[in-house]
């Protein structure tokens, strides 16, 4: 042990640097101007598969992890991100996600209506395909309504995809949603690999579409028919409970094949559209949805809310929408549909 006399000065004292060095910390983060833009295709246990230079001859898939500087900010399928590091796409390489670009849309859900924790399903999708079987299992209209509310809240256009029409007719279910003016397509199992798949693709071209549906409706089977070169595992419906079994465990973005006759290198060939397959669910909580945003999906009714009382639920005696519809500004069936969707936000999910 070194001893210092009473005349010791600072030159006699030696300080030992810390284990992490003596470099001062800074709040300034690197800008990463050389970062490459990529699209998140799937997320698996902290590793993200990204598509770099998508739509070009140099496109490649790169595995990346989230940089510490992003903090708690999550990364989901469909996100546009900036990545640095090894972008070669070679096996056993790892890049780093340093920035998540602003999202054009965000689809959220909660496990139940009283669940305060919301989960982001996908980002930057323009369309939601609500996949429902006409039989085996039976349709669940209340669940369809909940998906519609989530689509309208996220700013997505809904598409109703009805499967297994060889087991039951679609007329009655379609009639109940006719007033909403939703696009729809009906498929059957024996035509799915041929004309059925192409009929669905016609609604998906040039767009990013997230496929939503509860277990057993044939969602993944449909996705496999749409993108034949990327087969995902499928399951069967339980004969006793009438419910399906979860076979898709993570969301995955898949690019559609080019349309027939598309010229190589053309926009139709390079950007034919994306489908995002998501895990099946048995409930769709809406505790995160602000009911006041649902009215934006009804442009024919929205002007009539100007004279509504403050914080009007649009389903009470003083609601101005009743007079708006009575004066002939909108179809009464549209108002009924709006109120049915708003009631779905408050009522239990049972049909």
């Amino acid at each position: 042990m070194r001893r210092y006399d009473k005349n010791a000065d600072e030159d006699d004292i030696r300080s030992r640097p810390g284990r992490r060095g003596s470099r001062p910390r800074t709040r300034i983060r690197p800008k990463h101007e050389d970062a490459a833009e990529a699209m998140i295709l799937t997320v698996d246990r902290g590793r993200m598969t990204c598509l770099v230079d998508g739509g070009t001859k140099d496109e490649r898939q790169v595995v990346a992890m989230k940089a510490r500087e992003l903090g708690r900010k999550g990364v989901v399928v469909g996100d546009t991100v900036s990545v640095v590091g090894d972008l070669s796409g070679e096996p056993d390489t790892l890049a780093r996600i340093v920035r998540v670009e602003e999202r054009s849309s965000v689809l959220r859900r909660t496990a139940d209506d009283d669940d305060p924790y919301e989960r982001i399903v996908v980002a930057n999708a323009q369309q939601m395909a609500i996949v429902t079987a006409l039989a085996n299992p039976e349709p669940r209209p209340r669940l369809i309504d909940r998906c519609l509310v989530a689509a309208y809240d996220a700013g997505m256009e809904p598409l109703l995809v009805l499967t297994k029409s060889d087991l039951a007719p679609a007329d009655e279910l379609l009639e109940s949603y006719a007033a909403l003016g939703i696009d729809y397509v009906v498929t059957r199992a024996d035509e799915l690999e041929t004309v059925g798949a192409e009929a669905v693709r016609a609604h998906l071209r040039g767009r990013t579409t997230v496929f939503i549906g509860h277990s057993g409706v044939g969602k993944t089977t449909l996705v496999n028919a749409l993108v034949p070169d990327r087969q995902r595992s499928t399951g069967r419906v339980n004969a006793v409970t009438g419910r399906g079994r979860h076979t898709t465990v993570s969301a995955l973005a898949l690019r559609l094949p080019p349309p027939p006759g598309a010229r190589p290198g053309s926009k139709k060939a390079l950007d034919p559209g994306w489908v995002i397959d998501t895990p099946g669910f048995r409930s769709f909580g809406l505790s995160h949805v602000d009911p006041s945003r649902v009215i934006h999906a009804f442009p024919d009714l929205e002007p009539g809310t100007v004279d509504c009382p403050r914080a009007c639920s649009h389903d009470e005696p003083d609601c101005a929408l009743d007079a708006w519809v009575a004066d002939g500004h909108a179809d009464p069936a549209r108002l009924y549909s709006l109120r049915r969707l708003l009631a779905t936000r408050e009522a239990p999910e049972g049909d």
Side-chain angles (χ1 to χ4, degrees), residues 73-121:
K73 188 168 187 179
V75 180
V76 299
V77 174
D79 265 328
T80 300
V81 298
S82 296
V83 291
V84 298
D86 193 333
L87 305 181
S88 65
E90 296 294 328
D92 301 323
T93 59
L94 189 65
R96 191 157 51 103
I97 299 172
V98 296
R99 192 164 50 245
V100 180
E101 305 300 334
E102 184 177 357
R103 294 161 173 164
S104 60
S105 68
V106 177
L107 176 62
R108 298 178 173 92
R109 65 177 285 257
T110 54
D112 298 294
D113 287 337
D114 56 356
D115 183 4
Y117 180 69
E118 65 181 47
R119 300 157 178 81
I120 299 180
V121 182

Side-chain angles (χ1 to χ4, degrees), residues 171-194:
D171 298 343
E172 183 178 351
L173 187 62
L174 289 176
E175 185 178 356
S176 64
Y177 292 97
L180 291 172
I182 305 172
D183 284 342
Y184 66 89
V185 58
V186 181
T187 67
R188 49 186 297 144
D190 55 351
E191 297 178 350
L192 195 55
E193 300 295 334
T194 54

